[in-house]
Amino acid sequence: MSIRLLIRDWPSRSIALATSSHALIFRSSGSTTAEPAAHNFNASSTSLPGNGPSAYKIAVEFAPLDKVELEDYRSLSSLSVYGTLGLITLQGEVFLCVVSAAAKTAAVRPGETVQRIIAVEFHCLSSSNYDHILNDEINPYPTDTLGDDGFEYGSGQGKNQGVVEHPAMALKKLLSSGTFYYSADFDLTKRIQDRMADEHTIALDSLEGGFLWNSYMIQPLVDFRSRLSQREKSALDASKILTSAIRGFAYTINIPASSSPARTTTTGLASALTLISRLSCRRAGTRFNSRGIDDDGNVANFVETETIFWSPSGICFSYVQVRGSVPIFWEQATGLLPGQQKITVTRSAEATQPAFDKHFEGLEVSYGAVHVVNLLSHEKPGEIDLAERYHYHIRHSVLNRPERDEKGDVVETRHQMLMETEYDFHAETKGPTGYEAANGIRRYIQDSADGFAYFLCEDVEDHPSSGDKKGTYLIRRPVPILHQEGVFRTNCLDCLDRTNLVQTIVSQMALEEFLGHRSERGSPDFWMRHSSLWADNGDTLSKIYAGTGALKSSFTRSGKMSLAGALADVRKSATRAYINNFADKGRQNTIDMLLGRLIEQKPVHLFDPINDYVQMELNRRAGEYSSTSNINILVATFNLNGKAEGLSADLSPWLCPKLPSLAQKTPEIVAVGFQEIVELSPQQIMSTDPAPRQAWEHAVVQTLNENAKQMGEEEYVLLRGGQLVGASLSVFVKAGALPGIKNVEGAVKKTGLSGMAGNKGAVAIRMEYRNTSICLVTAHLAAGFANYEERNRDYKTISHGLRFQRNRSIEDHDTVIWLGDFNYRIGLSDDKVRRLIEVGDLETLYKNDQLNLQMVYGLTFPYYSEARITFDPTYKYDLGTDNYDSSDKQRIPAWCDRVLRKGDNLRQIAYDAAPLKFSDHRPVFASFECTISIIDEKRREKMNAEIYKMRKASLGARSRIGSLVSDGLEDEDEDEEELLGYDPIEPGLPPASSDKRKWWLDNGYPARSTVVPPKNGMAPNPHRPANPFTPSSEPDWVHVERDLGAPRLPPRTNTSSSVSSTAPSSNGTVGPPRQIARRRVPPPMDPSKSFTPPPDIGRRPMSQIDSISDVRRSQLDHSPAQTPQPPPPRRGGTPLAATTTASPPGPHKLQKTQTASTLSSASTATLAPGPAPGKLRKTPSPSRQGRGNEAGVIPALPPRRGTGGPGAVGNVMDLDDEGDREGLRDWEVLRPGQ
């Protein structure tokens, strides 16, 4: 897609990247934070801190061409650009980097091309000072030093007073070095195995950050993209404006049909052999500046290399291996002579082990088991020390160290997740055969190569029937057959020359295994092309790290070492010494600048306040554009015991059970899990054979389609299958449901032999059906009657260790269903279990079922549910009969085969076993009704446009980027508030609050509380933390006790809308009454002024208790349910007395007439016999005699809201009830001196 680069200088500097349909526009306000702009625009903005007080404000917009005005823009070049690598700040200015020249170097598969970056340009967004600096490629005859009279004044003279070097010149040279690659068709940062088959555009938020070299520059645009609507995200991705770049090597060699090992095609088209190397940017640097490991587990010169072979028949092979520096803390001094380059280990073994473990744990999560191939010498002193330390850390790695319980007993051994082969390359190749002897490494790594397997996918064609007798239609899609389950990690000292030669051998071994499984072999021409590709790869990676091509490349290329090759190696060694001593420091500084690691660098932050508001409003009103629908899911699990006889059996009792409705008989999704699909012999458990799974998939889809045909429904197609040696999972869906399914991924996790073997483990497939994520997991857990704890650990290993793309786990889904042979047994004797089965007492059996008990105690499958079991135990039967095991072992019958579910949107319909007898297990099935959410994208987009329009109008009807602010804006600061007040700190967080708006209030309402107490007499708890999001065991509301020693009395009226309150002054006296407007809600209490009673307050003389501060709550008052409730109000009789005489110890409650609120805690309050000195009096004065009722009792005080310490001003109570005011008629305000 052609991208035009446009610029506008007035009224403000703007740069636009325009495609045929959309434009991405960046604009500088032309001002700094120290000097605000004269005009503000309704657009995204940010403050970019530069060197000193200046920080330019940048705005960004992405919109269709018909909604932006580009008439004032001019073209910067007659040639199109290839996208932008991002934004960067240099010398206080903001630059936009664009790819100006690129060339195609690789074509992985049809429609997946890789481009090599040849040239880039940096255009300043914040200043025009660098526009006159023309590069040699643009103008070989610069005129910058010519004076007005046309004469040459030279450097330092003329109108420009000297030639200024562009601040980004070093970055331009680095990015134009030919070692950076990008793809506009697919995610180049991921291997094929980790890419989704239906990925048509590149989602920037899913890129692998470790291999994304422009991650620092592109991150502001990734954050900006995350705040766009889904439609705008898709449009931005499809525009291919944002470019993701890797560094390393990528090249494709076409293999003619005559030389291609895949001879199944008759088209005559060439096959493609591609090599892609991805250099990590997390510890990037040059040879002597970047060695060893860092504290985050990143190593220097870490490269993932993928060998890909594609055939026109649709077969795609992929094999990945990695290289990296020795993962310990070490350095090497530079020197022109080899003896001067001394190696120093800089950290102790104990201090190194945590970083070492982080590195290999990351490899295990990404690739599976790891086999280290260490090529260091056993003769060179420095390399000997490194090799010994390397071996020490491998032996003490967490991947090898057994896990122990609290008692110190070994509970799990993981000794085979990390293996090591020490191979002294120089010693092994000293003989007469030279480097050819390196092939001897094959015998040391062959077993691991067989166990790791490789990735293989194949295009399949389905011709499903539509179900309405209109015929069939064609669906062609790639289906994964095998997955690579481990990786070789190769290293020497520099990870260049020796490493590249050995990795070439490993790649050849993997290709030979792939071809051997197909009964094919490569021709000499094919292997020559393969070697040439690897030689070019070694040269490129060596130039990046050491400055020259790789040594020994002539042998890698041709298979033999010549005199010319030896002389070339001498020349390269001398060149390396010069570059490493005199040029690498500058190269390292440029790399750090590109990755944003320099101290003075400031990141660029882009915001879009209008879109932020729109997205928040859309989330709040999600119910207006979303709906729900029900689909049916059938899951079935069967332990085949390695028997293939069932392929010809009738599977319909298991896969097509008799269910109530037609929709349940023909569900949208059918998931079938098999265990022991092959016999688990010692030879089988280390490798995966896909043929048995494919045969069973054919049998399953045939059964499903026969049933669908009888029901008049559309046919099923295989969505995806996965296999882990004996365990497999295949998901079938109706052909008509395919348009609503996306993001289908698969993953496996081994647990057998401590994670090395695949005889035990899990296979998982996830998908998104409409807008609901579904994860299906089949598992085969550890066997053995007493090994339930090991089965619990297997579950935890699978649940935490199995990962999909973007680091999704099983739990990160709306709907999760587990099915398989979990191997949990029944904890009763064999005789008792069989008798209970005979009498049909399944309830007693289930009460003693290990899985049930472990789930009840929360030790496994937390928050999962299982339907009621109404079928007999499914294990273990004599083959072909309904009799339980009659062999000498007499296995106890058990429900080994289970189905568990988790998700609020699931309703289980059926759960039963099927009478298939060719295995020692009985197959189990379960039917579910699943509620899925559906988002109406058109409705959402319409609401998006409406809300955007309203928001734009509310901000003053100002246009977005490209036009001036409308007239009539009076206060520039208020404009800035409008633009910046809604900028979130991070994507996904609410926008920041201001003194005018709060993010938790909708539609810009002012900050006004609408919270009401749950009951009368309750107030906010002063002991809660000030931050409402801080976890606390304190309740939100508490009952407040009335302090009789300091009543704050309202006026004797029941008609006023306000009340009088007396408040104690700072010296303890009472001031004149003041009018306070009635409030519905009391203000929050100040915890610093709250009073906490001492523990012995119930035993103190009442005279020692400060009457004003005696506001406290009960020790038991932790929730409303625990609060003692007062008796009902007495409306016709005499109210309870509020006496001033001392009462015996015990709980005392005071009630007011009409409202009945608790005034005193049930555990602490007693009443003082007299007024405290200098405080309000409790004893009625002579003027108040006779003011009580007929019994001489003063009416009870109404409840007081709030609390306060000594001298604190109390809060005003609500007087909403007419009865409240009526009960206050007999009270009066006491004045000082009364």
Side-chain angles (χ1 to χ4, degrees):
M1 182 177 290
S2 176
I3 302 175
R4 295 178 296 150
L5 182 62
L6 308 173
I7 189 169
R8 186 187 67 177
D9 297 316
W10 188 89
S12 58
R13 189 170 178 85
S14 303
I15 295 179
L17 295 170
T19 67
S20 58
S21 59
H22 287 76
L24 181 66
I25 306 175
F26 303 90
R27 177 188 168 276
S28 171
S29 66
S31 64
T32 66
T33 54
E35 189 175 357
H39 301 287
N40 290 285
F41 290 78
N42 179 19
S44 309
S45 57
T46 182
S47 296
L48 297 175
N51 296 333
S54 297
Y56 287 91
K57 298 174 183 176
I58 302 298
V60 62
E61 175 188 14
F62 179 73
L65 282 182
D66 56 0
K67 293 186 178 181
V68 295
E69 298 179 1
L70 299 178
E71 291 81 3
D72 297 336
Y73 288 76
R74 58 183 173 85
S75 178
L76 273 174
S77 172
S78 60
L79 301 177
S80 300
V81 297
Y82 297 85
T84 176
L85 294 176
L87 299 158
I88 193 168
T89 55
L90 300 170
Q91 298 182 9
E93 306 285 2
V94 184
F95 290 88
L96 176 70
C97 178
V98 295
V99 180
S100 57
K104 175 182 173 182
T105 62
V108 179
R109 293 183 291 186
E112 295 184 352
T113 60
V114 180
Q115 310 285 330
R116 183 174 65 183
I117 297 175
I118 298 176
V120 299
E121 296 176 358
F122 286 84
H123 299 281
C124 187
L125 275 166
S126 50
S127 172
S128 60
N129 295 337
Y130 304 99
D131 290 353
H132 70 280
I133 302 179
L134 302 178
N135 298 321
D136 294 340
E137 298 88 346
I138 301 175
N139 184 5
Y141 306 104
T143 58
D144 295 333
T145 56
L146 293 180
D148 294 334
D149 53 2
F151 288 96
E152 175 75 42
Y153 286 92
S155 177
Q157 302 183 35
K159 58 182 179 181
N160 291 319
Q161 295 299 312
V163 178
V164 180
E165 182 177 341
H166 198 286
M169 183 57 68
L171 283 178
K172 175 180 172 61
K173 292 179 180 178
L174 176 65
L175 292 170
S176 303
S177 61
T179 59
F180 289 87
Y181 300 82
Y182 77 93
S183 175
D185 304 320
F186 68 99
D187 184 356
L188 190 56
T189 65
K190 288 189 175 73
R191 54 179 175 162
I192 290 182
Q193 181 169 320
D194 292 338
R195 286 197 274 123
M196 290 177 288
D198 57 348
E199 222 174 28
H200 300 296
T201 57
I202 304 171
L204 289 175
D205 54 354
S206 68
L207 298 175
E208 177 57 52
F211 299 123
L212 185 64
W213 273 72
N214 62 322
S215 58
Y216 175 74
M217 295 196 297
I218 202 70
Q219 190 60 47
L221 291 169
V222 174
D223 295 339
F224 165 72
R225 175 190 174 276
S226 68
R227 295 189 293 271
L228 299 177
S229 67
Q230 187 59 47
R231 184 177 179 181
E232 289 175 319
K233 287 181 183 178
S234 301
L236 182 58
D237 294 342
S239 70
K240 303 180 180 179
I241 293 177
L242 306 185
T243 303
S244 56
I246 68 166
R247 194 179 193 193
F249 176 79
Y251 197 76
T252 295
I253 292 181
N254 291 324
I255 310 296
S258 59
S259 301
S260 175
R263 306 179 188 278
T264 57
T265 179
T266 58
T267 61
L269 297 177
S271 302
L273 182 64
T274 304
L275 198 64
I276 300 176
S277 287
R278 306 172 181 93
L279 176 63
S280 174
C281 62
R282 287 184 172 151
R283 187 164 170 77
T286 54
R287 185 183 180 194
F288 288 99
N289 293 291
S290 180
R291 290 290 202 189
I293 196 172
D294 63 15
D295 288 292
D296 294 323
N298 304 310
V299 296
N301 200 21
F302 182 83
V303 183
E304 176 191 271
T305 303
E306 182 177 16
T307 305
I308 305 168
F309 175 75
W310 175 84
S311 168
S313 62
I315 297 173
C316 186
F317 160 91
S318 167
Y319 190 80
V320 169
Q321 46 188 321
V322 298
R323 68 175 74 180
S325 184
V326 177
I328 62 176
F329 293 92
W330 63 283
E331 298 173 354
Q332 187 175 16
T334 59
L336 294 175
L337 300 176
Q340 297 175 340
Q341 301 170 355
K342 294 184 179 180
I343 296 174
T344 305
V345 177
T346 60
R347 196 174 293 191
S348 67
E350 294 78 12
T352 301
Q353 194 68 49
F356 184 93
D357 291 341
K358 284 182 183 179
H359 174 70
F360 280 98
E361 285 176 339
L363 291 181
E364 193 266 339
V365 169
S366 299
Y367 304 103
V370 182
H371 190 133
V372 171
V373 180
N374 184 9
L375 305 178
L376 291 175
S377 173
H378 294 167
E379 299 175 356
K380 299 180 180 180
E383 295 190 21
I384 290 175
D385 295 340
L386 286 180
E388 290 176 351
R389 283 289 298 273
Y390 199 179
H391 182 66
Y392 169 86
H393 288 296
I394 289 175
R395 286 189 290 108
H396 291 80
S397 170
V398 293
L399 298 182
N400 288 340
R401 191 164 57 240
E403 294 186 2
R404 301 179 182 272
D405 57 16
E406 297 178 354
K407 299 179 180 179
D409 299 329
V410 175
V411 297
E412 183 179 359
T413 57
R414 307 174 63 183
H415 58 280
Q416 293 191 1
M417 288 302 295
L418 179 59
M419 295 165 290
E420 179 189 21
T421 295
E422 291 187 335
Y423 189 81
D424 186 345
F425 183 89
H426 290 312
E428 297 289 343
T429 57
K430 275 185 177 179
T433 57
Y435 295 142
E436 292 182 10
N439 282 291
I441 198 173
R442 287 171 175 259
R443 63 179 181 271
Y444 300 111
I445 63 176
Q446 185 65 55
D447 290 342
S448 291
D450 294 339
F452 292 164
Y454 49 86
F455 175 78
L456 179 65
C457 69
E458 187 172 356
D459 288 348
V460 298
E461 293 183 356
D462 291 316
H463 300 269
S465 172
S466 59
D468 53 5
K469 298 182 180 181
K470 293 183 179 180
T472 62
Y473 52 96
L474 173 65
I475 299 177
R476 183 179 176 89
R477 55 199 172 82
V479 174
I481 307 298
L482 274 178
H483 285 81
Q484 185 177 341
E485 298 167 358
V487 69
F488 285 101
R489 185 197 189 278
T490 310
N491 72 273
C492 53
L493 189 65
D494 296 322
C495 303
L496 296 176
D497 315 316
R498 291 171 277 179
T499 297
N500 196 73
L501 198 153
V502 171
Q503 284 195 328
T504 305
I505 297 172
V506 175
S507 176
Q508 183 172 346
M509 291 174 63
L511 279 167
E512 289 172 350
E513 183 180 8
F514 157 65
L515 296 175
H517 288 166
R518 300 176 57 84
S519 300
E520 296 170 343
R521 55 184 303 176
S523 63
D525 180 67
F526 174 78
W527 294 122
M528 183 62 69
R529 294 171 188 265
H530 174 266
S531 299
S532 176
L533 199 57
W534 271 95
D536 293 339
N537 173 72
D539 284 340
T540 302
L541 296 179
S542 181
K543 288 177 182 177
I544 294 173
Y545 191 58
T548 69
L551 309 182
K552 309 175 183 63
S553 61
S554 62
F555 174 82
T556 305
R557 195 179 305 275
S558 62
K560 56 184 179 180
M561 195 66 181
S562 63
L563 178 60
L567 293 177
D569 287 351
V570 173
R571 177 179 55 81
K572 291 175 183 177
S573 298
T575 306
R576 278 186 185 181
Y578 173 80
I579 292 176
N580 297 156
N581 281 272
F582 302 109
D584 274 358
K585 185 176 181 180
R587 293 171 61 211
Q588 182 70 49
N589 187 74
T590 305
I591 291 173
D592 291 338
M593 184 190 303
L594 173 65
L595 299 175
R597 296 173 178 172
L598 299 182
I599 298 299
E600 66 273 10
Q601 278 188 276
K602 305 295 182 182
V604 180
H605 302 283
L606 298 175
F607 299 102
D608 192 346
I610 296 184
N611 271 330
D612 291 342
Y613 175 84
V614 170
Q615 294 306 311
M616 288 181 59
E617 191 69 9
L618 285 174
N619 292 336
R620 190 179 67 85
R621 298 170 57 183
E624 300 180 30
Y625 55 82
S626 61
S627 60
T628 60
S629 178
N630 291 332
I631 65 170
N632 288 276
I633 302 175
L634 177 72
V635 298
T637 177
F638 197 177
N639 186 316
L640 296 173
N641 194 28
K643 307 300 181 183
E645 293 84 354
L647 286 170
S648 57
D650 180 14
L651 302 179
S652 59
W654 175 45
L655 300 175
C656 308
K658 296 180 180 180
L659 296 174
S661 67
L662 175 63
Q664 294 164 5
K665 293 178 181 178
T666 56
E668 283 77 4
I669 300 175
V670 177
V672 181
F674 291 107
Q675 302 82 44
E676 297 186 30
I677 200 170
V678 295
E679 292 186 8
L680 298 180
S681 62
Q683 294 79 19
Q684 289 278 10
I685 65 175
M686 299 303 295
S687 61
T688 299
D689 181 7
R693 173 175 63 86
Q694 294 171 337
W696 278 103
E697 287 174 348
H698 177 74
V700 169
V701 76
Q702 187 174 4
T703 302
L704 293 175
N705 286 339
E706 288 176 358
N707 179 68
K709 186 176 182 180
Q710 294 175 3
M711 300 292 178
E713 294 290 319
E714 58 185 345
E715 294 183 347
Y716 289 85
V717 296
L718 174 65
L719 180 67
R720 178 158 183 156
Q723 184 176 353
L724 179 63
V725 185
S728 75
L729 177 64
S730 303
V731 177
F732 306 85
V733 299
K734 285 184 176 180
L738 285 174
I741 297 176
K742 58 184 178 181
N743 297 339
V744 181
E745 304 171 36
V748 298
K749 184 65 178 178
K750 297 179 181 179
T751 59
L753 293 183
S754 305
M756 183 60 190
N759 61 317
K760 295 293 187 290
V763 183
I765 294 177
R766 59 95 53 195
M767 72 187 78
E768 292 174 14
Y769 197 111
R770 299 296 183 183
N771 299 99
T772 297
S773 58
I774 300 174
C775 182
L776 303 163
V777 186
T778 187
H780 194 188
L781 305 184
F785 180 87
N787 292 338
Y788 57 88
E789 291 184 348
E790 186 175 351
R791 290 187 275 276
N792 294 349
R793 289 194 295 272
D794 284 351
Y795 161 76
K796 293 177 181 178
T797 299
I798 295 168
S799 179
H800 294 92
L802 191 146
R803 285 291 187 271
F804 299 99
Q805 293 185 35
R806 307 186 190 183
N807 203 33
R808 287 193 189 97
S809 69
I810 295 174
E811 306 303 320
D812 296 330
H813 293 82
D814 303 319
T815 302
V816 183
I817 300 176
W818 284 67
L819 60 147
D821 181 0
F822 299 158
N823 261 321
Y824 285 92
R825 308 302 170 89
I826 296 174
L828 297 173
S829 66
D830 180 62
D831 291 340
K832 188 171 184 179
V833 170
R834 294 178 189 243
R835 288 198 303 269
L836 290 172
I837 294 174
E838 289 178 2
V839 300
D841 190 358
L842 302 183
E843 192 70 26
T844 301
L845 292 175
Y846 189 71
K847 288 180 180 179
N848 292 275
D849 176 71
Q850 290 179 349
L851 177 59
N852 174 44
L853 295 173
Q854 296 299 303
M855 291 176 65
V856 166
Y857 285 102
L859 300 177
T860 190
F861 290 99
Y863 309 110
Y864 282 87
S865 302
E866 183 181 29
R868 182 183 181 88
I869 296 181
T870 58
F871 50 90
D872 290 343
T874 58
Y875 174 83
K876 173 181 184 178
Y877 288 89
D878 291 336
L879 295 180
T881 71
D882 288 325
N883 302 323
Y884 287 103
D885 186 20
S886 60
S887 66
D888 295 338
K889 293 184 178 180
Q890 287 284 310
R891 300 291 175 85
I892 301 175
W895 284 299
C896 290
D897 309 278
R898 312 290 275 269
V899 177
L900 304 178
R901 71 184 188 276
K902 184 170 76 171
D904 296 335
N905 58 339
L906 276 179
R907 183 172 73 91
Q908 190 155 351
I909 306 298
Y911 191 26
D912 206 346
L916 302 183
K917 303 178 183 179
F918 55 84
S919 172
D920 58 356
H921 288 251
R922 290 291 183 266
V924 171
F925 65 87
S927 176
F928 300 92
E929 185 180 77
C930 180
T931 302
I932 61 169
S933 62
I934 303 174
I935 293 179
D936 186 345
E937 294 295 342
K938 293 184 178 179
R939 172 63 179 160
R940 192 179 189 277
E941 290 302 321
K942 182 179 179 181
M943 291 178 59
N944 183 89
E946 292 173 353
I947 298 172
Y948 181 88
K949 185 177 180 180
M950 292 171 54
R951 180 62 183 160
K952 186 176 180 180
S954 69
L955 293 180
R958 289 164 290 175
S959 62
R960 297 188 80 182
I961 302 176
S963 59
L964 292 174
V965 183
S966 60
D967 298 334
L969 297 177
E970 299 176 357
D971 190 351
E972 183 180 354
D973 292 336
E974 291 184 0
D975 277 349
E976 196 70 17
E977 160 76 13
E978 296 290 345
L979 289 176
L980 300 180
Y982 283 86
D983 293 342
I985 300 174
E986 293 289 344
L989 295 179
S993 301
S994 68
D995 57 346
K996 299 180 181 179
R997 301 181 186 85
K998 306 298 179 186
W999 58 262
W1000 57 87
L1001 299 177
D1002 296 325
N1003 302 322
Y1005 289 128
R1008 181 176 60 234
S1009 175
T1010 58
V1011 179
V1012 295
K1015 294 181 180 179
N1016 289 333
M1018 299 189 76
N1021 184 1
H1023 296 287
R1024 278 194 61 83
N1027 185 349
F1029 301 104
T1030 302
S1032 174
S1033 61
E1034 292 285 345
D1036 294 332
W1037 300 87
V1038 294
H1039 279 275
V1040 180
E1041 302 169 12
R1042 173 59 54 201
D1043 184 357
L1044 295 180
R1048 289 169 285 115
L1049 305 178
R1052 297 177 58 189
T1053 176
N1054 60 352
T1055 59
S1056 175
S1057 61
S1058 61
V1059 295
S1060 291
S1061 173
T1062 58
S1065 62
S1066 59
N1067 58 5
T1069 63
V1070 178
R1074 53 191 178 93
Q1075 294 292 323
I1076 301 178
R1078 188 179 71 183
R1079 293 180 57 137
R1080 292 287 182 183
V1081 179
M1085 291 181 286
D1086 187 356
S1088 64
K1089 298 180 180 180
S1090 62
F1091 174 76
T1092 303
D1096 60 343
I1097 189 169
R1099 299 188 296 271
R1100 288 186 180 185
M1102 295 308 298
S1103 60
Q1104 297 180 11
I1105 300 177
D1106 190 334
S1107 59
I1108 291 182
S1109 62
D1110 188 18
V1111 179
R1112 57 187 69 85
R1113 62 186 180 90
S1114 170
Q1115 297 290 338
L1116 300 177
D1117 189 16
H1118 294 296
S1119 67
Q1122 296 173 327
T1123 305
Q1125 298 298 321
R1130 303 180 59 183
R1131 294 189 178 271
T1134 304
L1136 297 179
T1139 62
T1140 59
T1141 58
S1143 301
H1148 293 268
K1149 299 183 178 62
L1150 298 179
Q1151 296 175 306
K1152 72 179 182 66
T1153 309
Q1154 309 281 341
T1155 58
S1157 296
T1158 302
L1159 301 180
S1160 178
S1161 173
S1163 60
T1164 57
T1166 54
L1167 303 179
K1175 308 293 181 181
L1176 297 181
R1177 293 185 302 171
K1178 297 176 187 167
T1179 306
S1181 63
S1183 62
R1184 296 178 61 215
Q1185 300 296 330
R1187 296 200 177 223
N1189 52 26
E1190 296 179 358
V1193 179
I1194 302 300
L1197 280 171
R1200 181 172 63 177
R1201 306 291 177 92
T1203 186
V1209 179
N1211 296 323
V1212 181
M1213 56 189 170
D1214 289 340
L1215 295 177
D1216 296 333
D1217 192 345
E1218 185 68 25
D1220 292 346
R1221 294 191 292 270
E1222 187 66 25
L1224 299 177
R1225 288 185 178 277
D1226 297 320
W1227 291 89
E1228 70 175 0
V1229 178
L1230 298 184
R1231 304 282 191 263
Q1234 288 183 332

